[in-house]
Amino acid sequence: MKNKTSLLLVLLIFLGSLGTTLNAQSEILKKLEEIAVVDQKVMMPMRDGVRLATDIYRPKTGGPVPIIFSRTPYNFNTWQNGKESTRTLETAYKMVEKGYAYVVQNERGRYFSEGEWDILGTPLTDGYDAFTWMKEQSWSNGKIGTLGCSSTAEWQMAVAALDHPSHAAMVPQGFGAGVGTVGKFQEQGNWYRGGAEQLLFFSWLYGVEHDKFKPRIPAGATQEDLIRISRFYDLGPENPPVDMLEALSHLPIQDILKNINGKKEIFDKMVTRKPNDPAWFEGGLYHDTMDFSVPSFWFASWYDVSISPNIALFNHVRENAKEAMIRDNQYLVIAPTLHCAYTRATEDTVVGERSVGDARLNYEEQIMAWFDLWLKDASNDFKEKTPRVQYYTMGSNTWQSSEEWPPKNAKMTSYYLSSGGNANSLNGDGVLSTKPPKSDMPDSFTYDPMNPVMSYGGNVCCTGNAVQGGAFDQQQMEQREDILVYTTAPLKEGVEVSGFIETKLFVSSDVKDTDFTIKLIDVYPDGRAYNLDETIQRVRYREGYDKEVFMEKGMVYEVNLTPMSTSNYFKEGHSIRIEISSSNFPRFARNLNTGGDNYNEKEGVIAHNKIHHSKKQASEIRLPIVKK
């Protein structure tokens, strides 16, 4: 009897807590319905007849209102796995409360949207058609702003080139996956860096790509039907968890998803494309040959995967948009955070292992002022109050501002690599100095693709457990003999480095092709060595991405790495350091050194690589030193 009473008590407590949970979950919907017309699972038609699932939340007012629009490949359904999800509802409430309609839509082929999905090939016309449909609604004032981070941002740039009359403003955040080519960067949506494959999409696609055999909504399903069944079927795949570090280690890399039973049709197309393949220029990526026609408030992060091309795109639009009005209405924020982690900054923001201080900012206030300016024609003081560029300087841990990027008072200063021929590891004799060495005493190291330098921290996202992003103490990594370490003497006074960092190396090897990697590091007086940014260059692409030029044994070649970016104050007593190697895995795919296609190879060749440094062949890193 006692056991039955106890069981009944437990059951009552559980049911009571369940009721409380359900009430709490539905509270935001009740609040939203008090001020908004909630219109979910509206099937918005595209020009080819495909319908995209759309949720609309608009104020209960008589007049037309402006629209904030997010289009996403992610699951925004109110019900997920049989539970009510409040995230979209909370965002909608904030927008409606401020006098906006909030419209969120799934890309074609995602969840309840019809059609077939393609990560970088979604028709640009979908965005254009959505703008036209929204503009024509009786509750719309005809002005639309786009908002989103990561994959919810990447589509915005290319659509901005189409110049839809209703696309009045945009706020793209963490938007690197939408950048194809801009200036010195030919990333093709984060697939490449310096001609080497970035492995983030190898991981990301496993988690998000839907199988073509998933359940399909019958043609002609009514809105009522869709709302009802969405409470039971969110159409989201639940892939078994995998050890992504182990998965990314599989060779050949073209079989990585096959090896973990992932869906691979889109991946199979992408993995065989070279950096200049015409297919990259046919989908939804933005390239700098396209115009740009929308006032934009850009958000980037120092530890995001594509910080440098993100900033380069901001500069490109400011300098090259055809209309002066567009050129003059570009603003940028650069935070010291990981990918899309702006609002998670705290009074003591720790990125990886390094504390960068109080990195909070009034993001929401600034974004809404931006939309008020362009969508409501508000006579606010956004332009007077908001600097052109707001950037966070790590080390001094302060928000700063500039009218341009890099800051006007940043002057490029060369730091030359030198050694006695033994810069290998932290225990070597590598030096970084403003004076070039007098004679060439090259540093040699062995790069074995089967024993690569492992990624430790860095500017990365979306790799599961394979790489943890951010700043980490590199001292243990620097014990490896295949890492060359070059360090300045302790600084006699503090130095601010803010801008693009350029690297020129003179290299030789005994293989046809290899990679060279670099990290920029802030070294503390106690020896801690925190990474700031990193990049890579595949040597076959040193003369451009439209051709492959292989090396000859013993010949010395000039290699210019893709630029890095940071804003960091190296305090008095700190040192500036760079690491050079030939791998940073699994941040980047390993070069197997054969000169072959790499994506379809299983066997690697050991490379014996050299860095040369002399007056004639002066390997150097150029830092933007800010003069106060």
Side-chain angles (χ1 to χ4, degrees), residues 212-469:
K212 63 184 177 183
F213 298 112
K214 72 175 183 179
R216 297 279 179 156
I217 303 302
T222 66
Q223 183 181 16
E224 181 182 5
D225 289 334
L226 294 173
I227 292 173
R228 177 176 52 81
I229 65 175
S230 69
R231 296 171 65 92
F232 308 101
Y233 307 102
D234 64 9
L235 303 184
E238 295 182 17
N239 290 357
V242 300
D243 182 336
M244 198 52 66
L245 177 58
E246 179 181 347
L248 295 177
S249 299
H250 181 81
L251 291 174
I253 63 173
Q254 69 175 10
D255 290 340
I256 285 177
L257 290 192
K258 178 182 178 181
N259 189 54
I260 54 177
N261 298 310
K263 185 175 183 294
K264 58 189 182 64
E265 284 84 354
I266 292 174
F267 173 82
D268 284 351
K269 292 190 302 182
M270 297 174 70
V271 74
T272 61
R273 294 181 190 172
K274 300 293 180 70
N276 206 47
D277 192 298
W280 294 117
F281 301 87
E282 296 170 358
L285 293 174
Y286 178 86
H287 302 281
D288 57 14
T289 55
M290 304 159 69
D291 194 20
F292 194 93
S293 307
V294 181
S296 303
F297 193 12
W298 309 85
F299 287 81
S301 305
W302 288 130
Y303 283 96
D304 201 353
V305 64
S306 50
I307 178 60
S308 289
N310 282 4
I311 299 174
L313 178 54
F314 165 77
N315 282 345
H316 169 76
V317 175
R318 284 203 71 200
E319 296 165 4
N320 296 287
K322 290 180 181 178
E323 295 182 48
M325 186 275 288
I326 300 300
R327 295 195 299 272
D328 190 48
N329 285 287
Q330 305 296 320
Y331 291 80
L332 172 66
V333 173
I334 315 173
T337 62
L338 298 172
H339 180 68
C340 290
Y342 313 102
T343 57
R344 292 196 285 276
T346 65
E347 188 175 0
D348 179 23
T349 304
V350 178
V351 186
E353 294 177 337
R354 186 190 189 194
S355 171
V356 295
D358 188 350
R360 293 174 295 181
L361 192 68
N362 57 336
Y363 294 108
E364 185 175 322
E365 178 183 336
Q366 292 192 41
I367 289 171
M368 297 316 299
W370 174 255
F371 280 140
D372 287 349
L373 176 66
W374 293 103
L375 306 185
K376 292 183 177 180
D377 295 323
S379 298
N380 63 20
D381 55 1
F382 177 90
K383 291 188 177 183
E384 290 73 27
K385 287 177 59 177
T386 310
R388 178 74 61 183
V389 180
Q390 300 169 76
Y391 64 100
Y392 195 86
T393 301
M394 299 172 289
S396 61
N397 297 347
T398 54
W399 281 103
Q400 299 198 80
S401 62
S402 175
E403 182 57 27
E404 59 194 46
W405 192 262
K408 191 173 183 179
N409 54 346
K411 304 299 180 185
M412 297 301 286
T413 304
S414 292
Y415 285 76
Y416 298 95
L417 286 61
S418 65
S419 74
N422 185 31
N424 307 75
S425 84
L426 182 60
N427 305 312
D429 60 3
V431 173
L432 203 58
S433 169
T434 54
K435 295 181 180 180
K438 295 181 179 179
S439 59
D440 188 14
M441 299 186 71
D443 293 302
S444 304
F445 65 96
T446 299
Y447 163 46
D448 180 357
M450 300 301 109
N451 182 28
V453 173
M454 301 303 290
S455 305
Y456 188 53
N459 312 68
V460 66
C461 83
C462 317
T463 56
N465 68 316
V467 187
Q468 185 177 352

Side-chain angles (χ1 to χ4, degrees), residues 471-485:
F472 289 84
D473 185 357
Q474 303 293 309
Q475 289 181 92
Q476 189 62 41
M477 296 296 300
E478 291 167 348
Q479 299 299 318
R480 292 182 60 125
E481 291 290 315
D482 54 357
I483 297 177
L484 304 181
V485 179

Side-chain angles (χ1 to χ4, degrees), residues 73 75 81 109-111 205-211 214-215 234-240 263:
N75 191 356
N81 297 319
R110 300 294 290 176
Y111 302 98
L205 279 168
Y206 173 75
V208 304
E209 189 174 356
H210 292 185
D211 197 281
K214 72 175 183 179
D234 64 9
L235 303 184
E238 295 182 17
N239 290 357
K263 185 175 183 294

Side-chain angles (χ1 to χ4, degrees), residues 1-9:
M1 183 68 181
K2 184 177 180 181
N3 289 338
K4 290 183 178 180
T5 303
S6 299
L7 181 61
L8 179 61
L9 181 61

